[in-house]
Amino acid sequence: MTCGVVLAGGASLAWLSSAPAEASSASASSPTPTNLLQGDDATFSKSIGTWSNYSNSRLQWAPAAGEGSTGGLAVTATGPNMAVISGTSGNGGLTHASPGSVYSGAVSADTPLNSQEIQPVLIFYTASGTAITTVFGPGTRVTTNSWAVSLPVVAVAPANTAFVGLGLIVYNALAGSIVVLDNAWIEQVDVTTAPSVVGPLSTSGNRILQANGTPLVPRGVVLNGLETSPTASTVTEQAVIQAKAWGANIVRVPLGEQFWLSSNCDYSPGYQAEVSQVVNWITSLGMVALLDLHTNTVLGCEAGGPHNMADEAQSPTFWSQVAAQYASNPLVAFDLYNEPHDISGQVWLDGGTTIDTYAPFAVYQTAGMQQLYNAVRAAGAQNLVFISGLNWANDPPSQLVSGSDIVYAVHAYTCPDAAPPACGSPTPYDPSSLLKPWVSFSANQPVEITEFGWPSQYDGTYAANLISEARTQGWGWIAFAWEDTPYPAAWDITERWSPNTPAEPAPSGIPVLCELVRVSTGTSPCMAPPISPSPNANTQTVSPQAPAVRSNPPDAPTATASVLQPKIAASRRTRVRALGNNSVPGPRDACISACEGNGSPVVAAYSQQTSAEKSGHSGSGAISPAMQVTLVLAALGIFMVAPLVPRLRRAAGQRA
């Protein structure tokens, strides 16, 4: 069974199916998910439950207005960016939660007057009621008189979590606009540690096998950075630990031969030790470390970067050395060259002359995949070898590399430069046209999608569709990109990271987390649980003229907290990534600029901070709680409506 959601523009989103594609540590039959919201908090059959106003909204119980002609929660906007919450530390209704578990939430919505953009959020609290963090889900467009289920928000409960609440933001609502809510849910999945991969790995037919004979479907993330810097700050042990915590069993590590080889002008003496440390982090946790030759030099001393193909002068030597160093580690695999392009099938296989497609358009001799494979095996390494196809790894080769234990790699980007409407693909959310040529090829050869991604953090549609297709074909996949950074870029599938906190998914990363959790537990957090009224449903009727007033349940925390206020410890308006010449402002930078953190966050007026920055110091003027909410919600609204910034492919198709 596949749960599908139709989005604006006709894009179909296949949130995850309930049947595993292969044997996993989970039971073959998936347990039925349970809704943690009970009674009227979920169904609004007789009242609004413990839901309350957070910003610019008036709540009323609406008999017979809900989905299925039952009761509903009618929310009327009193200003832009209205927000409601399933419970607060002051009003009760918070749901008990456990650190480390994965939570998800969503709600059905309808609007009788005009279409609205809604976004679910999860807020985690300590036992005393202090908000720890807020995680934002994808936006969903609700059209007039048509019930829609919001795409789910999914998050990992941080340490010290005792409670969780579900919130909903309606962006840019006109005063008097109405959204009716029904069938709200919060689901908990207790995550188990993904089993360690058992090496050495081999292939049989079209499958990858572990040493114990169990098939392996590699699923994981691309930990990029070491291809462009010998000491990448985003490649950390914490990043590896968090990938394992999500359920990954493979981490792809792009490398640069220019830093590895002592004969190269960019040689870095500490680079090999840096790579070995990263490999140890990955394999010691039982994951596969896939080392990828991502950047090289073709003229000897120019800056390293992606090119048409590996160079004969240095790339075989690189693989001889790398293979010899890791031949004894059965969980290391080798990805011979990233995204070959603008070469013939014969040059791809055997090498030859090519004219580079990047300035200064050098004519150079390439090394073919057969030569690179032979270099690995000649070094005594029997490790698994991944080989990318032609045309940016989009097309399967017509001639195979001669050898054994080979996996063929495909990269799938319908929008390699910018999201719609700037994307040139006629079917940007549908990867099937890219993957179709590989279906028949994979009948006899192992195939892995070693890169896929989307050029916006705020849309998981493409990722969900690709993962669904990969599951149908029995292929593994590796999502781009995974970085330990407080300033995520367009391609990153996680939100900003803070020390000692879990990696939380951006909307683009929610399908990745959901599938990894499904494989390891048998339950997908992206699947809605059954919703039914509780026998002890709250029978309170709310006056149509005023929000509800409720007393606190005895076990609910009583401390107040600004739950939708992001916890940000740094002020910075522009995120600059030191990769090529890209300087990409993040869509939430207005929010980051408006927030300061010193313990609990303090929101300063945007104009005050701008003036302070001009004078060379930070502003410290406090503003009212109501203005704090307005600023934060307005800033957060930017990322739902701001034009998507085109992201240039850095040199030869690298999305980093």
Side-chain angles (χ1 to χ4, degrees), residues 481-626:
W482 184 266
E483 299 179 282
D484 183 351
T485 174
Y487 301 107
W491 292 95
D492 292 336
I493 62 173
T494 61
E495 292 287 7
R496 56 183 172 266
W497 287 22
S498 301
N500 304 315
T501 61
E504 299 291 3
S508 62
I510 285 176
V512 174
L513 175 59
C514 284
E515 179 73 341
L516 292 174
V517 171
R518 182 195 68 81
V519 170
S520 63
T521 68
T523 300
S524 169
C526 285
M527 296 182 64
I531 299 176
S532 59
S534 172
N536 61 347
N538 187 340
T539 59
Q540 176 186 14
T541 301
V542 180
S543 165
Q545 300 302 320
V549 178
R550 291 172 296 278
S551 60
N552 294 335
D555 61 342
T558 57
T560 59
S562 298
V563 295
L564 291 182
Q565 187 170 295
K567 241 177 136 80
I568 302 169
S571 298
R572 178 172 169 181
R573 195 171 298 130
T574 303
R575 300 169 189 161
V576 179
R577 304 191 58 195
L579 300 175
N581 294 320
N582 291 336
S583 178
V584 184
R588 292 189 192 171
D589 288 323
C591 177
I592 290 176
S593 297
C595 302
E596 293 180 342
N598 216 0
S600 61
V602 177
V603 180
Y606 182 77
S607 59
Q608 291 176 331
Q609 174 149 358
T610 301
S611 300
E613 286 176 348
K614 287 181 178 178
S615 62
H617 61 274
S618 299
S620 59
I623 58 175
S624 69

Side-chain angles (χ1 to χ4, degrees), residues 243-538:
K244 177 70 173 184
W246 273 33
N249 60 14
I250 187 169
V251 176
R252 185 172 184 250
V253 184
L255 301 179
E257 72 180 24
Q258 68 274 18
F259 305 127
W260 181 282
L261 296 172
S262 60
S263 58
N264 196 286
C265 295
D266 289 331
Y267 170 67
S268 175
Y271 187 68
Q272 294 187 24
E274 182 81 10
V275 173
S276 291
Q277 177 176 249
V278 175
V279 168
N280 182 62
W281 290 338
I282 297 168
T283 60
S284 65
L285 292 178
M287 298 185 288
V288 176
L290 178 57
L291 303 183
D292 151 46
L293 177 52
H294 210 88
T295 56
N296 57 317
T297 57
V298 299
L299 291 177
C301 278
E302 83 279 16
H307 295 281
N308 294 12
M309 184 56 182
D311 60 292
E312 187 180 48
Q314 298 177 101
S315 298
T317 303
F318 169 83
W319 278 120
S320 294
Q321 294 182 11
V322 172
Q325 184 152 327
Y326 299 110
S328 61
N329 189 331
L331 294 185
V332 173
F334 307 127
D335 188 344
L336 297 184
Y337 195 74
N338 181 69
E339 297 184 351
H341 59 92
D342 293 288
I343 56 175
S344 68
Q346 195 64 49
V347 171
W348 175 91
L349 180 66
D350 294 324
T353 302
T354 186
I355 302 174
D356 204 23
T357 51
Y358 309 98
F361 311 108
V363 178
Y364 72 98
Q365 187 71 18
T366 71
M369 291 296 188
Q370 186 69 60
Q371 184 179 0
L372 300 178
Y373 172 87
N374 292 345
V376 169
R377 294 293 184 243
Q382 300 306 311
N383 309 56
L384 209 61
V385 171
F386 287 68
I387 300 179
S388 292
L390 291 92
N391 188 28
W392 308 93
N394 289 172
D395 300 336
S398 57
Q399 293 180 275
L400 301 181
V401 171
S402 178
S404 60
D405 300 328
I406 294 172
V407 179
Y408 287 90
V410 53
H411 289 192
Y413 292 92
T414 53
C415 297
D417 300 314
C423 176
S425 171
T427 55
Y429 299 101
D430 184 2
S432 60
S433 61
L434 289 176
L435 301 179
K436 184 177 180 180
W438 292 86
V439 173
S440 58
F441 182 87
S442 69
N444 300 304
Q445 304 296 330
V447 168
E448 170 89 0
I449 303 171
T450 54
E451 261 196 43
F452 75 94
W454 186 254
S456 167
Q457 282 201 295
Y458 311 116
D459 192 341
T461 309
Y462 179 74
N465 289 336
L466 182 138
I467 289 170
S468 178
E469 180 65 20
R471 188 186 323 112
T472 298
Q473 302 301 335
W475 300 342
W477 46 261
I478 305 176
F480 187 91
W482 184 266
E483 299 179 282
D484 183 351
T485 174
Y487 301 107
W491 292 95
D492 292 336
I493 62 173
T494 61
E495 292 287 7
R496 56 183 172 266
W497 287 22
S498 301
N500 304 315
T501 61
E504 299 291 3
S508 62
I510 285 176
V512 174
L513 175 59
C514 284
E515 179 73 341
L516 292 174
V517 171
R518 182 195 68 81
V519 170
S520 63
T521 68
T523 300
S524 169
C526 285
M527 296 182 64
I531 299 176
S532 59
S534 172
N536 61 347
N538 187 340

Side-chain angles (χ1 to χ4, degrees), residues 165-236:
L166 175 65
L168 188 79
I169 303 172
V170 183
Y171 289 102
N172 302 311
L174 300 175
S177 298
I178 298 173
V179 173
V180 182
L181 307 181
D182 201 0
N183 295 329
W185 55 271
I186 299 176
E187 179 188 351
Q188 174 181 343
V189 178
D190 294 324
V191 178
T192 57
T193 302
S196 295
V197 177
V198 182
L201 304 176
S202 60
T203 63
S204 177
N206 65 353
R207 299 188 301 172
I208 301 172
L209 298 180
Q210 301 180 68
N212 58 11
T214 303
L216 174 69
V217 180
R219 299 181 180 92
V221 295
V222 179
L223 181 59
N224 59 296
L226 288 175
E227 75 279 23
T228 56
S229 170
T231 56
S233 61
T234 59
V235 180
T236 65

